[in-house]
């Protein structure tokens, strides 16, 4: 499955690991027994602002052996412009797993309101195994990188062979490192960054997967947790197979909402004048494409290709013209596509970089146990395709995790109270509302800000028009949580304004 938008421009990445100061000072991180080196900051590149600084520190591959093998951790920062109002440091994570975060200080610096921005040094980092932080690889061919596959009974043996091959390739390419590319170790890395910066606590803004990373940090290092905003929440009770499967269950109400919205505009789209009629039009297109793929914009789309559009139905104003274009093409009429519709119907042919796929698999397979028997995957995939016809088979089908080395550690229980702020759009395709609510429930003492009617993945700063901006900003400037959960109203479709914001914009986070 494609990411909704690219996270960070490749030009912003640091191409190589950065040198360490020859004789660094050190400070202790007693929870891990590791001594973190102070970074040697320097300008990231000549074409970036001088205030945007980069460095690297060394961290243990295995925190149980702090004097053993070390790996690089690439970090970046933009300091507060007002030392008199500086509160501390804010670490940033864009999502993933597998997303680079080095450029985030640049983007957050542009988008964050001044009264919030001046309180923090913004700290970006590439999580371990990603980008400039001792990157890992699986050596995968492009066609091996799609981890969300439709189920066909006759094709299941080849799906099993694919999953086994990917796991074997990852083990061969990065085997000694894979067991340690986990969320718990990345949270420990965050504390190593805190230690290297000489800070007593950290604040944090994390999106999507970054919400789970932040939640794990609150459990491992509660005394060092300051102001945490967890935006577009991953439910800790669903990691990680359940986070795939929630896409299927929650696509159904989004699809129903889309049919109602589209039926009310039947004169414009011609897809049906009742929700039932719109649904029938869609499923007729799927059946037609299963028999005879629909030629559109130089490609031929199968029924599975059409069902794979499930994320689009969280954005009715985008999905309706795309489905209309499909219907026109199926009937031999010209299908005029806008750039947004073309991207929706024909995801970029370029696969994700192998590094991103390898890091994703390392985390989702290494954080927690997965079923080990192909027969279980097939049973549950058949069940879920019947229960959730739009997308049920894609997430439940077998994954390389079935053949992955068993996790080194158990998943992190959420037992310690965490006074953090969770943020959520009502109509989020990647971390649906039930997932965000699960994160809020799991973190005793948290508060939730819900943008009712809000569409899109990622809210604070990602959609500057969102109603969450004021309550999140108030928390980040004062450190005081709202007295109770906050529900505000965002206009549906506000996410569309993200495509052309004034000035640099924060990229849409992603999960997988």
């Amino acid at each position: 499955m494609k990411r909704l938008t690219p996270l960070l421009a490749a030009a912003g990445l640091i191409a190589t690991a950065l040198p360490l100061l020859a004789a660094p000072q050190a400070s202790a991180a007693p929870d891990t027994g590791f001594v973190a080196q102070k970074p040697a900051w320097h300008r990231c590149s000549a074409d970036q602002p001088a205030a945007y600084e980069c460095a690297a520190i060394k961290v243990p591959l295995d925190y149980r052996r702090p004097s053993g093998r070390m790996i690089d951790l690439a970090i970046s920062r933009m300091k507060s412009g007002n030392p008199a109002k500086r509160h501390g440091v804010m670490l940033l994570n864009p999502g993933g797993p597998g997303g680079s975060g080095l450029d985030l200080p640049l983007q957050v610096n542009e988008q964050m309101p001044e009264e919030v921005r001046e309180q923090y040094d913004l700290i970006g980092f590439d999580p371990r195994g990603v980008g400039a932080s001792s990157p890992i690889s699986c050596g995968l061919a492009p066609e091996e990188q799609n981890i969300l596959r439709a189920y066909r009974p006759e094709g299941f043996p080849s799906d099993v062979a694919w999953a086994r091959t990917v796991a074997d390739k990852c083990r061969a390419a990065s085997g000694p490192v894979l067991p340690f590319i986990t969320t718990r170790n990345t949270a420990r890395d965050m504390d190593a960054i805190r230690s290297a910066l000489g800070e007593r606590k950290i604040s944090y803004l994390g999106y999507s997967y970054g919400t789970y990373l932040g939640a794990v940090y609150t459990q491992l290092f509660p005394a060092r947790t300051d102001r945490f905003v967890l935006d577009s929440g991953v439910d800790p009770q669903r990691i990680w197979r359940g986070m795939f499967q929630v896409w299927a269950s929650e696509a159904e109400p989004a699809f129903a909402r889309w049919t109602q919205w589209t039926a009310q505009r039947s004169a414009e789209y011609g897809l049906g004048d009742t929700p039932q009629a719109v649904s029938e039009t869609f499923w007729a297109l799927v059946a037609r494409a299963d028999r005879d793929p629909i030629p559109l914009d130089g490609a031929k789309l199968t029924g599975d290709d059409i069902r794979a559009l499930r994320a689009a139905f969280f954005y009715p104003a985008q999905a309706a013209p795309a489905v209309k274009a499909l219907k026109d093409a199926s009937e031999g009429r010209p299908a005029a596509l806008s750039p947004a519709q073309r991207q929706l119907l024909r995801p970029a042919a370029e696969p994700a970089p192998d590094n991103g796929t390898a890091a994703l698999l390392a985390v989702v397979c290494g954080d927690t146990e997965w079923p080990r028997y192909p027969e279980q995957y097939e049973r549950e995939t058949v069940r879920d395709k019947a229960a959730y016809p739009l997308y049920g088979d894609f997430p439940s089908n077998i994954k390389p995790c079935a053949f992955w080395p068993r996790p080194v550690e158990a998943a992190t229980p959420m037992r310690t109270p965490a006074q953090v702020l969770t943020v959520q759009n009502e109509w989020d395709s990647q971390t649906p509302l039930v997932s965000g609510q699960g994160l809020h429930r799991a973190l005793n003492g948290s508060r939730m800000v819900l943008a009712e009617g809000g569409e899109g993945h990622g809210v604070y700063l990602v959609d500057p028009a969102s109603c969450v901006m004021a309550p999140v900003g108030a928390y980040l400037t004062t450190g005081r949580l709202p007295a109770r959960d906050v529900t505000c109203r965002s206009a549906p479709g506000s996410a569309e304004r993200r495509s052309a914001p004034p000035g640099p914009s924060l990229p849409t986070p992603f999960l997988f």
Side-chain angles (χ1 to χ4, degrees):
M1 174 187 166
K2 74 181 183 72
R3 296 168 182 161
L4 293 182
T5 60
L7 245 186
L8 298 173
L13 300 180
I14 296 176
T16 57
L18 301 169
L20 292 173
L21 193 62
Q25 303 178 32
S27 56
D31 292 82
T32 61
F34 171 63
V35 177
Q37 298 170 311
K38 287 193 175 296
W41 294 105
H42 59 86
R43 186 171 183 171
C44 292
S45 65
D47 60 347
Q48 299 284 13
Y52 175 49
E53 299 179 299
C54 289
I57 62 174
K58 296 282 188 182
V59 296
L61 174 65
D62 181 357
Y63 277 92
R64 299 171 304 177
R65 298 173 177 82
S67 59
R69 178 176 175 179
M70 308 296 283
I71 59 174
D72 294 315
L73 199 67
I75 60 177
S76 62
R77 76 173 176 185
M78 294 193 76
K79 298 176 74 173
S80 164
N82 191 338
K85 293 188 176 181
R86 180 186 181 276
H87 174 74
V89 298
M90 176 184 287
L91 272 64
L92 308 168
N93 182 271
S100 168
L102 281 179
D103 276 0
L104 283 183
L106 282 171
Q107 294 154 351
V108 171
N109 180 64
E110 294 291 339
Q111 296 293 98
M112 186 172 274
E114 183 179 359
E115 65 272 16
V116 182
R117 171 68 187 92
E118 64 188 2
Q119 293 201 21
Y120 299 98
D121 294 348
L122 301 177
I123 308 297
F125 66 101
D126 276 354
R128 58 171 49 209
V130 173
S133 292
S134 295
I136 62 171
S137 170
C138 289
L140 300 178
E143 64 272 12
E144 292 174 318
Q145 294 198 50
N146 178 22
I147 64 172
L148 290 161
R149 296 176 171 231
Y151 171 77
R152 299 280 172 172
E154 67 278 9
F156 186 69
S158 66
D159 291 339
V160 174
W162 159 79
R164 190 188 300 273
T165 296
V166 169
D168 288 345
K169 282 190 169 185
C170 292
R171 191 179 296 109
S174 301
V177 176
L178 283 182
F180 306 103
I181 307 298
T182 63
T183 301
R184 286 173 65 86
N185 279 328
T186 302
R188 293 174 178 123
D189 292 343
M190 288 170 54
D191 201 61
I193 295 172
R194 176 206 59 79
S195 173
L197 297 176
E199 298 287 334
R200 188 173 62 88
K201 292 184 175 185
I202 62 169
S203 295
Y204 178 75
L205 172 60
Y207 297 92
S208 195
Y209 164 70
T211 66
Y212 181 61
L213 173 60
V216 169
Y217 186 91
T218 71
Q219 301 304 295
L220 296 182
F221 305 102
R224 295 169 181 175
T225 298
D226 196 2
R227 303 171 186 177
F228 270 46
V229 174
L230 308 181
D231 188 310
S232 306
V234 168
D235 184 349
Q237 299 301 315
R238 296 177 186 265
I239 64 156
W240 279 109
R241 193 169 185 229
M243 278 306 303
F244 284 85
Q245 292 172 321
V246 77
W247 291 343
S249 62
E250 300 314 298
E252 297 295 325
F255 182 81
R257 171 177 175 251
W258 170 75
T259 63
Q260 183 175 11
W261 187 95
T262 304
Q264 292 169 351
R265 295 158 179 82
S266 61
E268 180 177 359
Y269 297 110
L271 298 175
D273 57 5
T274 67
Q276 179 63 27
V278 173
S279 178
E280 290 172 356
T281 297
F282 174 82
W283 286 109
L285 284 169
V286 171
R288 151 67 203 278
D290 276 337
R291 295 190 307 270
D292 182 18
I294 298 173
L296 181 68
D297 198 32
K300 290 190 174 182
L301 301 183
T302 67
D304 291 340
D305 292 330
I306 296 172
R307 291 193 301 118
L309 298 174
R310 64 97 204 163
F313 295 106
F314 287 79
Y315 309 84
Q318 296 180 29
V323 175
K324 180 182 185 300
L326 271 172
K327 184 172 183 290
D328 289 343
S330 73
E331 296 171 351
R333 294 194 300 273
L337 296 176
S338 69
Q341 293 161 14
R342 181 172 286 109
Q343 175 64 23
L344 198 64
L345 292 167
R346 293 194 58 197
E350 290 295 321
D354 174 68
N355 171 234
T357 303
L360 183 158
L361 289 171
V363 170
V364 302
C365 301
D367 272 0
T368 188
E369 287 278 3
W370 283 66
R372 311 300 291 188
Y373 301 105
E375 297 81 5
Q376 179 177 344
Y377 287 93
E378 185 164 30
R379 285 196 306 270
E380 294 181 0
T381 300
V382 170
R383 176 200 68 193
D384 290 346
K385 187 173 184 178
Y388 311 115
L390 182 61
Y391 202 69
D393 50 325
F394 286 85
S396 289
N397 203 353
I398 195 164
K399 306 289 183 286
C401 302
F403 304 104
W404 211 259
R406 293 189 182 277
V408 172
E409 298 182 88
T412 305
M414 300 288 146
R415 295 172 181 159
T416 302
Q419 295 187 347
V420 305
L421 191 66
T422 69
V423 184
Q424 189 72 32
N425 269 332
E426 181 180 8
W427 296 102
D428 183 328
S429 62
Q430 304 304 95
T431 51
L433 178 58
V434 295
S435 176
Q437 291 169 329
L439 175 67
H440 175 37
R441 285 194 304 270
L443 294 175
N444 183 28
S446 68
R447 293 288 185 271
M448 184 178 203
V449 180
L450 171 62
E452 191 176 57
E455 295 174 353
H457 186 46
V459 197
Y460 181 66
L461 305 182
V462 180
D463 181 5
S466 174
C467 65
V468 311
M469 290 291 292
V472 175
Y475 167 65
L476 288 176
T477 52
T478 67
R480 293 191 296 272
L481 287 170
R484 60 186 62 84
D485 291 346
V486 175
T487 298
C488 59
R489 184 72 189 172
S490 277
S494 65
E496 296 171 26
R497 292 194 288 270
R498 305 177 195 190
S499 58
S505 62
L506 191 68
T508 301
F510 68 88
L511 182 71
F512 311 150

